[in-house]
Amino acid sequence: MTPLERALRERIQAEGPITVEAYMEACNTYYYATRDPLGLRGDFTTAPEISQMFGEMVGAALADCWKRAGASADAIYAELGPGRGTLASDALRTMRAAGFAGAVHLVETSPVLREAQKAAVPDGRWHESVDDLPAKPLLLAANEFVDALPIRQHVEGVERRVLVAAGGLAFDRDGEIVETSPARNEAVASTATCLVAKGGVAIFIDYGHARSGPGDTLQAVRGHGFAPVLGDPGEQDLTAHVDFEAVGSVARGAGASITPVVTQGEWLLRLGIESRAQSLLRANPERAADVQGALDRLTGRDQMGELFKVIAIYAPDWPAPVGFA
């Protein structure tokens, strides 16, 4: 029994069954506070860790939008859930080359990951939440951030809970599940409100669906494979597919403009990732297999290209970012 499971059992005994939202929040808070989950030795690999091309495309999209909006000198680069800082490092290299000289602000609660980010982005400034970001134009990236925020699950209108049964943790009900995420809505609304007030653009990249609909998408990942959701609490990553229609609706409700939802593969190809791959191949012919493999993994329909979606939220007086039409 993991330390967190013992604590959860005691909580359930004292308070009664806990919501899926409370369970997911407790698990991920413990999980991210106690380890670096990325890479071969961790539990999963994100797009920035696959190839520098991913971060370069994100940086190019942000820099292009910033330039067309007038290249505000007080704009800042911001990132939600920056992992090891790899995306920030690659994106900023491209943005600096385009003339962007703004400060770097990272929203990260994990002390372990903050240390890794300090090595990759030594001039960064760290915050606990979106609301702590300075009131300046934002050039913001959020890759695989929203999927880890807690969700609520309802079965026939009744909230699903976790209890202790048959010697282990179990769900109290089954049936057709409808998922919502107040935490996701709050993060998106806060970001959109900042953009409306001060200007800027935010690019959200995650796995999920373009249209709202019922279904159980809560999953656990450990050792680069799926695991039982209620097994080993705190020792595996819990995520849920992102409802991008809901993300767009919340952003519009806060007064921001939004792009269509597109697949990651489609977006990266429109931004010119194939040309960047060819450039890397010419400079490093010995890495041909690695570069092509990374390109296929990021854009392939049977890999990350189709499952992952992209949406941009931007200030109404800013131009729409490229790659979405």
Side-chain angles (χ1 to χ4, degrees):
M1 185 184 302
T2 67
L4 181 60
E5 181 174 356
R6 187 174 295 109
L8 288 171
R9 284 172 178 250
E10 293 173 356
R11 177 177 174 182
I12 291 169
Q13 184 176 15
E15 303 175 8
I18 61 174
T19 64
V20 171
E21 180 181 44
Y23 174 77
M24 186 175 178
E25 181 177 21
C27 288
N28 279 354
T29 297
Y30 181 91
Y31 176 81
Y32 281 99
T34 54
R35 75 207 67 211
D36 176 351
L38 296 161
L40 293 176
R41 296 183 179 180
D43 294 318
F44 56 87
T45 301
T46 60
E49 303 295 331
I50 293 171
S51 171
Q52 69 186 72
M53 295 185 291
F54 182 82
E56 290 169 348
M57 294 299 104
V58 172
L62 292 174
D64 171 76
C65 198
W66 169 71
K67 279 195 165 185
R68 288 187 290 119
S72 170
D74 62 344
I76 63 171
Y77 174 85
E79 190 173 336
L80 310 182
R84 290 175 172 168
T86 306
L87 170 56
S89 178
D90 292 337
L92 284 164
R93 186 173 60 253
T94 300
M95 295 170 72
R96 300 299 192 208
F100 174 74
V104 179
H105 292 262
L106 307 176
V107 176
E108 179 61 71
T109 59
S110 166
V112 176
L113 289 175
R114 279 194 181 192
E115 287 305 309
Q117 292 157 16
K118 288 175 182 177
V121 193
D123 59 341
R125 303 173 192 177
W126 280 263
H127 306 277
E128 291 288 320
S129 72
V130 177
D131 293 328
D132 296 333
L133 291 172
K136 294 184 178 182
L138 296 179
L139 304 175
L140 184 145
N143 179 66
E144 290 201 52
F145 169 76
V146 183
D147 65 89
L149 298 179
I151 62 165
R152 298 176 69 184
Q153 291 188 330
H154 289 81
V155 178
E156 297 181 353
V158 180
E159 187 158 17
R160 201 180 195 203
R161 295 175 182 270
V162 176
L163 46 72
V164 178
L169 298 177
F171 293 113
D172 68 342
R173 66 189 68 246
D174 293 313
E176 185 175 75
I177 291 171
V178 174
E179 296 178 343
T180 59
S181 177
R184 175 198 63 211
N185 293 349
E186 181 180 351
V188 172
S190 293
T191 302
T193 299
C194 289
L195 296 173
V196 171
K198 295 297 180 179
V201 58
I203 298 174
F204 284 82
I205 308 165
D206 228 310
Y207 52 85
H209 40 276
R211 295 288 176 264
S212 301
D216 181 3
T217 73
L218 182 61
Q219 62 187 33
V221 174
R222 188 176 189 182
H224 298 270
F226 293 111
V229 168
L230 297 179
D232 299 322
E235 300 301 323
Q236 54 196 16
D237 183 39
L238 293 185
T239 63
H241 286 210
V242 176
D243 181 346
F244 278 88
E245 184 175 1
V247 169
S249 178
V250 169
R252 279 197 308 268
S257 297
I258 64 170
T259 65
V261 178
V262 299
T263 66
Q264 176 177 294
E266 185 180 12
W267 186 67
L268 292 173
L269 290 170
R270 285 175 176 170
L271 289 175
I273 193 171
E274 288 178 312
S275 295
R276 178 56 179 149
Q278 289 302 315
S279 176
L280 288 174
L281 287 172
R282 287 192 296 270
N284 307 276
E286 74 284 358
R287 292 183 54 216
D290 291 340
V291 173
Q292 186 61 51
L295 179 64
D296 292 343
R297 189 170 176 187
L298 293 171
T299 64
R301 292 176 62 88
D302 59 342
Q303 299 195 55
M304 298 178 74
E306 188 75 17
L307 176 61
F308 281 70
K309 309 294 190 300
V310 189
I311 190 173
I313 303 168
Y314 58 102
D317 57 346
W318 271 52
V322 295
F324 295 90

